[in-house]
Amino acid sequence: MEAQTFSMYHVVLRGMQAAAAALPFIGTVVDAPFGKFGLPSRWNVHGNAGWMVMECVAPLITTLAFFSAPTHHEAHASAWLLLGLFLLHYTNRAVIQPLLNAPRSPLHISVVLSAMAFNAANGFLMGTWLAHGGSVPPPGMNLWGHVGLLLYVLGFVGNVYHDALLRSLRMTPPASSEEVVRVGSCIYRIPQGGLFRWMSYPHYFCEWIEWCGYALVCITVVPHVPDALVSYPPVLFVMLEVGAMLPRAMRGHAWYQRHFSTYPTRWAIVPFV
């Protein structure tokens, strides 16, 4: 890794490690102003367009970081595969989802800008780390690589499936007897089907499974210098996702319980939470 890139990489890495430690505490007291927690503001932007802009940053920066590395042409095939899996997730998240979805509630510009910064930092770390792995894979770890790949596929499919269930709630009219809650221009209903039977945020849970599988594949089949787990960008990404999404899931679960008198007994996202 070139000296300048090495220095920048470690500055960004330390910043994201600090963010991973802070996010769980921030999320317990601050609700990001979008979705059911959105607020009227002159700084709100179109929900679907804002979502596309902020999420497209991740695949763009990851790809740029990967191909900017002088050693990317020496990267093992597993690194190319994992770059492709990363881009697959974000193709769905940044392009397919917002194009298929009904209009989202507005996003505050602070949400868009902070997400862009997060995705740029994470993309830079991920692309740089994948590109500098080298051409020889670690020996004897194929079993765990296959387990990780299976988890990735299950999580990805589960995430897409539960997002489709939520999308159907927005795009089909509620029954006359169905309890609904209106927030601004959006109508909220009680999600049903799949893992919604047991938890309020199965799409979050499935995304965690997906990225845990991705991280497992990365650290078992991509060549790398041994280091603390928190220093591997794929593992750090899981920590950041859980730190940001768990408090929101818990507060969102409480919101459902407050606003729906018929809300069923469920976990927020994991057993007993």
Side-chain angles (χ1 to χ4, degrees):
M1 193 180 295
E2 295 179 347
Q4 184 176 3
T5 302
F6 180 84
S7 176
M8 182 183 299
Y9 176 88
H10 281 274
V11 168
V12 175
L13 179 65
R14 298 293 177 256
M16 293 293 268
Q17 289 170 338
L23 279 173
F25 301 99
I26 296 172
T28 59
V29 296
V30 177
D31 292 317
F34 69 96
K36 59 182 65 67
F37 298 112
L39 299 170
S41 173
R42 62 185 293 185
W43 297 104
N44 284 347
V45 298
H46 187 277
N48 293 48
W51 186 271
M52 291 183 75
V53 169
M54 71 187 197
E55 294 297 340
C56 279
V57 171
L60 289 174
I61 296 299
T62 303
T63 304
L64 180 62
F66 185 88
F67 284 99
S68 295
T71 56
H72 78 268
H73 62 280
E74 300 174 1
H76 188 263
S78 58
W80 289 88
L81 170 64
L82 285 156
L83 175 65
L85 293 179
F86 189 90
L87 298 181
L88 172 65
H89 172 88
Y90 276 99
T91 298
N92 174 67
R93 183 176 178 86
V95 181
I96 297 174
Q97 265 191 23
L99 289 179
L100 292 179
N101 282 346
R104 303 175 66 98
S105 56
L107 295 171
H108 194 273
I109 189 65
S110 63
V111 173
V112 177
L113 294 177
S114 60
M116 290 175 68
F118 172 87
N119 285 330
N122 185 60
F124 170 72
L125 292 177
M126 199 75 73
T128 303
W129 187 83
L130 287 173
H132 285 87
S135 58
V136 181
M141 300 296 287
N142 287 337
L143 174 61
W144 288 111
H146 285 94
V147 170
L149 186 59
L150 176 62
L151 290 175
Y152 174 90
V153 172
L154 291 175
F156 178 80
V157 172
N159 184 249
V160 171
Y161 172 70
H162 290 96
D163 277 340
L165 292 179
L166 291 175
R167 182 165 56 249
S168 69
L169 292 181
R170 302 186 187 107
M171 302 186 72
T172 58
S176 57
S177 59
E178 184 178 354
E179 186 178 12
V180 299
V181 173
R182 181 179 290 275
V183 178
S185 60
C186 292
I187 293 177
Y188 286 87
R189 302 158 63 184
I190 299 176
Q192 304 288 350
L195 295 179
F196 281 113
R197 177 178 178 182
W198 296 285
M199 62 184 71
S200 295
Y201 284 80
H203 47 311
Y204 283 17
F205 176 75
C206 289
E207 187 165 334
W208 294 354
I209 295 297
E210 177 187 353
W211 289 120
C212 283
Y214 184 86
L216 182 57
V217 178
C218 282
I219 62 177
T220 54
V221 305
V222 175
H224 59 272
V225 176
D227 205 341
L229 282 177
V230 72
S231 293
Y232 297 140
V235 176
L236 179 59
F237 184 31
V238 174
M239 297 173 62
L240 287 159
E241 286 246 311
V242 174
M245 296 164 73
L246 179 58
R248 188 168 181 87
M250 295 175 66
R251 293 170 75 87
H253 178 68
W255 183 93
Y256 276 114
Q257 292 176 317
R258 287 196 308 271
H259 287 83
F260 289 93
S261 61
T262 59
Y263 198 70
T265 300
R266 296 173 176 173
W267 302 314
I269 191 168
V270 292
F272 311 112
V273 175

